[in-house]
Amino acid sequence: MPNFKVFLSYSTMNKESADKIAESVRFVFKDDVQVYVAGRSIAGGDDWEEELLQNLVTSDALITLLTPKFTDKSWFYIEWSPFWIAKKPYFILLTDETVVGVLDRPVTGRQFTYLFDILSVQSLFVSLHKKVYNLEVPIGEFLSPAQHLVESLYEISKVENRNYYDTFRSSTKSLPKVLQPVDFEESERIISYFISNSEDHIAYENSMKLDPDDRGKVARLAVLNGNLDTAALVAKTIFDADSLRKICSLMIKNGYSKSEQLIQVLALLDGKSTVAHKEIAVELVEAMDVDNPSLRTCIEIIQNGNQVRDVLVRMIGLRIYNLDTYELCFKKFVERKLVKRLGLPELDKIRIANRAFFDDLAPRLLLLDDDDLSAYLREHFGG
């Protein structure tokens, strides 16, 4: 009879999941497969490093439960490397949260097993059966144990995740250091957990442990979850204009353009970047939110004539006329671009003209240089 040994590698945060996987493998293969559960199979007082090394050498295959809590741990690679070097079979089991992109290339050379996918778990049992018995079997042979394992792991994972995140309820608990993408993604998951559970104060406390550049991502995550207060609170600790602009942009795209929090974040942009105000103004125009006080605020702050021109072009292109906001933008364009830069007559000589003129003006604003635009307007207004 076969005497096949499997080494099961996992994070200590996923002990219950690892035990369930080992139990399932033993149930399917009975006494033909021995499962060594790292950490669980070492007796008290044993030399655990020697024990671990011996089992790495004597095992015929590796099953790794690769959760986000394990991807950045050195032990994952330490326990995987002997099987790769010896060209022994290894099986990587992923949860829905595991980020494959952070793994090194050799690890991704084999097909993954997705633990919450019954068909994928069936394929794992089929592959393992072939290694143990050197026989092919229909995938349907393992439907029942695969379904049971998936259902059990789904419930266990909810408890494990809750226990893991609960360790960060105290502000004295440190988040993973933000040194690599995997570290931020893990921190993001932790903060997302509290945001999704409306525990904004804990999400905020943990976001303060991140590098300033990463706080913008946290604020945008809060916007996506509808937690605008958290987003605005985190935004107060951000000094980068582009990061603040992205928060505003996401609020607009997600239907929060009239929110008090958008006004709060816009206020943080004052004195930082009129380019950001221009881009936000264009987004508000494109959202047809032209009666929004935030749009008027952006237009009033913009000082560069070309930036005002960009906003005006979008208004004209979308046929937005006869509105206070439009008149403000048009007069600002006249003042900043036509009077000061192009030397046209005083502002009073230019009035809001008819729709035909605006239809004609839009392509000219896009295509004409300053001299030609000045000549056209002088001719039109008789300046």
Side-chain angles (χ1 to χ4, degrees), residues 65-108:
L65 174 55
L66 194 57
T67 64
K69 307 168 188 66
F70 204 27
T71 53
D72 60 340
K73 300 296 188 297
S74 58
W75 275 112
F76 159 57
Y77 289 100
I78 289 172
E79 293 172 353
W80 165 81
S81 296
F83 293 88
W84 177 61
I85 293 170
K87 297 183 178 180
K88 293 181 179 180
Y90 60 86
F91 305 93
I92 307 296
L93 281 54
L94 306 180
T95 66
D96 291 346
E97 294 181 324
T98 309
V99 180
V100 177
V102 302
L103 301 176
D104 292 335
R105 174 64 183 89
V107 178
T108 61

Side-chain angles (χ1 to χ4, degrees), residues 50 74 82 118 171 181 187 206 235 238-239 270 312 319 329 361 371:
E50 180 62 27
S74 58
I118 295 175
S171 60
S187 299
N206 281 294
I238 298 171
F239 304 99
D270 285 357
L312 186 60
R319 299 180 180 276
C329 190
L361 180 59
D371 290 339

